[in-house]
Coordinates of all heavy atoms in Angstrom, one line a residue:
V48 N -41.7 -32.6 -12.5 CA -40.8 -31.4 -12.6 C -40.3 -31.4 -14.0 O -40.5 -32.4 -14.8 CB -39.7 -31.5 -11.6 CG1 -40.2 -31.4 -10.2 CG2 -38.8 -32.7 -11.8
E49 N -39.6 -30.3 -14.4 CA -39.0 -30.2 -15.7 C -37.6 -29.6 -15.5 O -37.4 -28.6 -14.9 CB -39.8 -29.4 -16.6 CG -39.3 -29.4 -18.0 CD -40.2 -28.7 -19.0 OE1 -41.5 -28.9 -18.8 OE2 -39.8 -28.0 -19.9
F50 N -36.6 -30.3 -15.9 CA -35.2 -29.9 -15.8 C -34.8 -29.1 -17.1 O -35.1 -29.5 -18.2 CB -34.2 -31.0 -15.7 CG -34.3 -31.8 -14.4 CD1 -35.0 -33.0 -14.4 CD2 -33.8 -31.3 -13.2 CE1 -35.1 -33.7 -13.2 CE2 -33.9 -32.0 -12.1 CZ -34.6 -33.2 -12.0
A51 N -34.1 -28.0 -17.0 CA -33.5 -27.3 -18.1 C -32.2 -27.9 -18.3 O -31.2 -27.6 -17.7 CB -33.4 -25.8 -17.8
V52 N -32.2 -28.9 -19.2 CA -31.0 -29.8 -19.4 C -29.8 -29.0 -19.8 O -28.7 -29.2 -19.1 CB -31.3 -30.9 -20.5 CG1 -30.1 -31.7 -20.7 CG2 -32.5 -31.7 -20.0
A53 N -29.8 -28.1 -20.7 CA -28.7 -27.3 -21.1 C -28.1 -26.5 -19.9 O -26.9 -26.5 -19.7 CB -29.0 -26.3 -22.2
E54 N -29.0 -25.9 -19.1 CA -28.6 -25.2 -17.9 C -28.0 -26.1 -16.9 O -27.0 -25.8 -16.2 CB -29.8 -24.4 -17.4 CG -29.4 -23.5 -16.2 CD -30.6 -22.7 -15.8 OE1 -31.3 -22.1 -16.7 OE2 -30.8 -22.5 -14.6
L55 N -28.7 -27.2 -16.7 CA -28.2 -28.2 -15.7 C -26.8 -28.7 -15.9 O -26.0 -28.8 -15.0 CB -29.2 -29.4 -15.7 CG -29.0 -30.4 -14.6 CD1 -29.4 -29.8 -13.2 CD2 -29.9 -31.6 -14.8
F56 N -26.5 -28.9 -17.2 CA -25.1 -29.4 -17.6 C -24.0 -28.4 -17.6 O -22.9 -28.7 -17.8 CB -25.2 -30.2 -18.9 CG -25.8 -31.6 -18.8 CD1 -27.1 -31.8 -19.1 CD2 -25.0 -32.6 -18.3 CE1 -27.6 -33.1 -19.0 CE2 -25.5 -33.9 -18.2 CZ -26.8 -34.1 -18.5
R57 N -24.4 -27.1 -17.3 CA -23.3 -26.1 -17.2 C -22.4 -26.2 -16.0 O -21.3 -25.7 -16.0 CB -24.0 -24.7 -17.2 CG -24.5 -24.3 -18.5 CD -25.0 -22.9 -18.5 NE -25.6 -22.6 -19.8 CZ -26.7 -21.9 -20.0 NH1 -27.2 -21.3 -18.9 NH2 -27.2 -21.7 -21.2
E58 N -22.9 -26.9 -15.0 CA -22.2 -27.2 -13.8 C -22.2 -28.7 -13.5 O -23.1 -29.4 -14.1 CB -22.8 -26.5 -12.6 CG -22.7 -25.0 -12.7 CD -23.4 -24.3 -11.5 OE1 -23.3 -24.9 -10.3 OE2 -24.0 -23.2 -11.7
P59 N -21.3 -29.2 -12.7 CA -21.4 -30.7 -12.4 C -22.7 -31.1 -11.9 O -23.4 -30.5 -11.1 CB -20.3 -30.9 -11.3 CG -19.4 -29.7 -11.5 CD -20.2 -28.6 -12.0
V60 N -23.2 -32.2 -12.5 CA -24.5 -32.8 -12.1 C -24.2 -33.7 -10.9 O -23.4 -34.7 -11.1 CB -25.2 -33.5 -13.3 CG1 -26.5 -34.1 -12.8 CG2 -25.4 -32.5 -14.4
T61 N -24.8 -33.5 -9.8 CA -24.6 -34.3 -8.6 C -26.0 -34.8 -8.1 O -27.0 -34.2 -8.4 CB -23.9 -33.6 -7.5 OG1 -24.8 -32.5 -7.0 CG2 -22.6 -32.9 -8.0
V62 N -26.0 -35.8 -7.3 CA -27.2 -36.3 -6.6 C -27.8 -35.1 -5.8 O -29.0 -34.8 -5.9 CB -26.9 -37.5 -5.8 CG1 -28.1 -37.9 -4.9 CG2 -26.5 -38.7 -6.6
A63 N -26.9 -34.5 -5.0 CA -27.4 -33.4 -4.2 C -28.0 -32.2 -5.0 O -29.1 -31.7 -4.6 CB -26.2 -32.8 -3.3
R64 N -27.4 -31.9 -6.1 CA -27.9 -30.8 -6.9 C -29.3 -31.2 -7.6 O -30.2 -30.4 -7.6 CB -26.9 -30.5 -8.0 CG -27.1 -29.2 -8.6 CD -25.8 -28.7 -9.4 NE -26.4 -27.8 -10.4 CZ -26.2 -28.0 -11.7 NH1 -25.5 -29.0 -12.2 NH2 -26.8 -27.1 -12.5
L65 N -29.4 -32.4 -8.0 CA -30.7 -32.9 -8.6 C -31.8 -32.9 -7.5 O -32.9 -32.4 -7.8 CB -30.5 -34.3 -9.2 CG -29.7 -34.4 -10.4 CD1 -29.5 -35.9 -10.8 CD2 -30.3 -33.6 -11.6
A66 N -31.5 -33.3 -6.3 CA -32.5 -33.3 -5.2 C -32.9 -31.9 -4.9 O -34.0 -31.6 -4.7 CB -31.9 -34.0 -4.0
A67 N -31.9 -31.0 -4.8 CA -32.2 -29.6 -4.5 C -33.1 -29.0 -5.6 O -34.0 -28.2 -5.3 CB -30.9 -28.8 -4.4
E68 N -32.8 -29.3 -6.9 CA -33.6 -28.8 -8.0 C -35.1 -29.3 -7.9 O -36.0 -28.6 -8.1 CB -33.0 -29.2 -9.3 CG -33.8 -28.7 -10.5 CD -33.9 -27.2 -10.6 OE1 -33.0 -26.4 -10.2 OE2 -34.9 -26.7 -11.2
I69 N -35.2 -30.6 -7.6 CA -36.6 -31.1 -7.4 C -37.3 -30.5 -6.3 O -38.5 -30.1 -6.4 CB -36.5 -32.7 -7.3 CG1 -36.0 -33.3 -8.5 CG2 -37.9 -33.2 -6.9 CD1 -35.6 -34.8 -8.3
H70 N -36.6 -30.4 -5.2 CA -37.2 -29.7 -4.0 C -37.7 -28.3 -4.3 O -38.8 -27.8 -4.0 CB -36.3 -29.7 -2.8 CG -36.2 -31.0 -2.1 ND1 -37.2 -31.4 -1.2 CD2 -35.2 -31.9 -2.0 CE1 -36.8 -32.6 -0.7 NE2 -35.6 -32.9 -1.2
A71 N -36.8 -27.5 -5.1 CA -37.1 -26.2 -5.4 C -38.4 -26.1 -6.3 O -39.2 -25.2 -6.1 CB -35.9 -25.5 -6.1
Q72 N -38.4 -27.0 -7.2 CA -39.6 -27.0 -8.2 C -40.9 -27.4 -7.6 O -42.0 -26.9 -8.0 CB -39.3 -27.9 -9.4 CG -38.3 -27.2 -10.3 CD -38.2 -28.0 -11.7 OE1 -39.2 -28.4 -12.2 NE2 -37.0 -28.1 -12.2

Side-chain angles (χ1 to χ4, degrees):
V48 298
E49 189 170 320
F50 293 103
V52 177
E54 186 176 315
L55 187 69
F56 280 99
R57 287 188 186 142
E58 295 180 32
V60 179
T61 68
V62 170
R64 201 164 151 239
L65 291 174
E68 179 63 29
I69 294 167
H70 281 286
Q72 286 193 39

